[in-house]
Amino acid sequence: MKRLLIFLAVIAGIGLTAAKLLDNKEKTAQKVYIPDTDPKVGVKVAVAEIRRLSQEASFLGSFTPNRKVEIRPQAGGEIVRLNIEEGQFVKAGQLIAKLDDEQLRYQIEAAQVTLEGYQNDLKRYEVLVKGDAVPAVNLERTQLSIRSTEAQIKQLKKQVANTSIIAPFSGIVTAKMVEKGSVVSIGTPMAEITDISLLKLVVNIPEKSVNEFRNGKTIGIKTDVYPDVDFKGKVTMVSAEGDDAHNYPVEITVQNSQKNPLKAGMYGSIANTGEVKGEALAVPRQAITGSAKQPQVYVVENGKANLRDVAIGATTNEFYEITKGLKAGDKVVTSGQINLQNGTSVVAQ
């Protein structure tokens, strides 16, 4: 009887131990991480839809004067008259300054007296040569002396004319470097005249947009000085050579306004809007993956991201035209593609 009780106690102990071990196994199994065999990746999506594709880009530049010249005399001497001040408007052909020409006029007077003597000699030689009183060579020398003196007088008159400094075109005197009484030589800077009746807005256009600009194209211009005024300009020059950053200088000429006058050095901006194409199926640029030769998009279908080859047409700053591979209404992934493979389960966030 005693042995039976001991046996039963041992069996009961073994049973309790087994039950405890089974319970611990179940609790341990609950704590072990079992990975999800079909995880869902969060992505952002957009709908492929029909859009009117147009491209708009804003470019900043600065206005330069239509013409600017530094006035330098072609003669030397003392300035006896100076008719300009900085900021003054001058007309084309207006006298700016006058140099002393007294000595030159004396030289002209002396040359004219010499010429008159040669002309008198010529008359006498013509008579004497006819009578064989003097050699014909004397007549020829006198004729040459007359021609030489006439040329000398023309040269002196040209020098006198050069003592009158005139404005080559209408504009504003933006600098005055001399004063009345100053003695200048040939080529001395005297003044600077700037023509701003027309202004040129110079902007640097990147390579991808430069073909949108053609000579004669009308473009709207905005300025910070007159934010509510729309200026109109025409493209007058597109550079044939770009810089190291592949930017091409473009000049846009605008007529200055008396009501809203512009000044050289002011900033101006242009918004170049060009219709790339009419209505077309398009997706955001962010949806395109792969290479330019083989573009692809992830299309969300039944909760999965399926990689699909597409063909690209026109492009703008924001959208790609899709000519093949998608239809209107398809949902394409625009963010999160780095975590995707073909067939990955996704959830739109």
Side-chain angles (χ1 to χ4, degrees):
M1 188 66 180
K2 185 176 180 181
R3 290 181 178 178
L4 179 61
L5 291 175
I6 292 173
F7 177 76
L8 291 174
V10 171
I11 294 300
I14 293 173
L16 290 174
T17 301
K20 182 65 174 178
L21 291 174
L22 181 61
D23 183 60
N24 290 341
K25 181 179 180 181
E26 290 178 353
K27 289 182 179 180
T28 302
Q30 291 177 358
K31 294 180 181 180
V32 174
Y33 170 72
I34 301 176
D36 189 350
T37 58
D38 189 19
K40 293 184 177 182
V41 177
V43 295
K44 291 183 179 180
V45 298
V47 177
E49 55 187 354
I50 303 297
R51 293 180 176 272
R52 179 168 291 277
L53 298 181
S54 63
Q55 181 168 280
E56 179 172 326
S58 180
F59 304 106
L60 182 67
S62 60
F63 290 103
T64 62
N66 179 42
R67 292 178 290 182
K68 182 168 68 172
V69 66
E70 197 172 62
I71 304 300
R72 296 172 180 261
Q74 295 181 347
E78 180 185 355
I79 300 175
V80 295
R81 193 188 311 169
L82 189 64
N83 300 331
I84 57 170
E85 295 293 340
E86 287 191 12
Q88 176 185 343
F89 176 79
V90 294
K91 294 182 179 180
Q94 180 178 331
L95 182 68
I96 294 176
K98 177 66 177 173
L99 304 181
D100 182 16
D101 62 359
E102 188 174 5
Q103 291 295 329
L104 291 172
R105 293 188 181 276
Y106 290 154
Q107 293 178 41
I108 292 175
E109 185 177 352
Q112 287 174 337
V113 171
T114 302
L115 177 62
E116 185 177 346
Y118 286 139
Q119 290 171 340
N120 292 335
D121 290 341
L122 180 64
K123 292 177 183 178
R124 288 192 294 268
Y125 284 135
E126 286 175 342
V127 174
L128 294 173
V129 167
K130 288 180 181 180
D132 293 329
V134 295
V137 67
N138 291 337
L139 178 62
E140 294 175 359
R141 288 174 179 173
T142 303
Q143 289 174 333
L144 291 175
S145 296
I146 290 174
R147 290 176 57 186
S148 175
T149 306
E150 287 175 341
Q152 182 183 0
I153 291 174
K154 289 180 181 179
Q155 185 179 22
L156 289 170
K157 287 182 176 180
K158 175 63 176 176
Q159 292 179 18
V160 170
N162 288 339
T163 61
S164 296
I165 316 301
I166 62 173
F169 51 79
S170 300
I172 305 295
V173 179
T174 50
K176 185 181 76 168
M177 297 86 159
V178 294
E179 296 292 342
K180 181 181 177 181
S182 301
V183 177
V184 297
S185 58
I186 297 175
T188 300
M190 296 181 63
E192 184 181 76
I193 296 179
T194 303
D195 175 18
I196 58 172
S197 59
L198 293 174
L199 289 166
K200 296 176 182 177
L201 180 65
V202 182
V203 294
N204 288 321
I205 306 299
E207 180 180 6
K208 67 178 182 180
S209 301
V210 71
N211 287 335
E212 297 295 323
F213 294 83
R214 295 286 186 274
N215 284 347
K217 180 179 180 180
T218 300
I219 294 182
I221 299 174
K222 301 290 289 184
T223 64
D224 292 338
V225 180
Y226 307 109
D228 299 326
V229 179
D230 292 322
F231 295 92
K232 294 294 182 182
K234 285 189 176 181
V235 177
T236 51
M237 191 280 292
V238 179
S239 177
E241 183 179 3
D243 58 19
D244 293 339
H246 296 272
N247 292 321
Y248 293 78
V250 173
E251 286 185 359
I252 302 164
T253 301
V254 58
Q255 183 75 41
N256 208 346
S257 167
Q258 292 184 351
K259 183 178 179 181
N260 302 296
L262 297 169
K263 296 182 182 297
M266 287 182 174
Y267 287 112
S269 62
I270 61 173
N272 181 47
T273 302
E275 182 145 319
V276 177
K277 197 163 186 174
E279 291 186 345
L281 181 66
V283 298
R285 295 178 68 95
Q286 297 87 343
I288 302 298
T289 62
S291 64
K293 293 183 179 180
Q294 189 177 1
Q296 296 175 309
V297 297
Y298 281 102
V299 181
V300 177
E301 297 174 310
N302 300 321
K304 294 184 179 295
N306 297 319
L307 190 60
R308 190 180 299 179
D309 293 331
V310 294
I312 292 175
T315 66
T316 72
N317 291 333
E318 297 180 358
F319 296 97
Y320 277 115
E321 178 196 9
I322 302 299
T323 60
K324 183 180 178 181
L326 293 178
K327 63 181 183 298
D330 283 345
K331 294 182 179 180
V332 296
V333 177
T334 59
S335 177
Q337 296 98 320
I338 192 173
N339 299 316
L340 299 181
Q341 293 181 351
N342 188 30
T344 301
S345 297
V346 294
V347 57
Q349 295 179 340

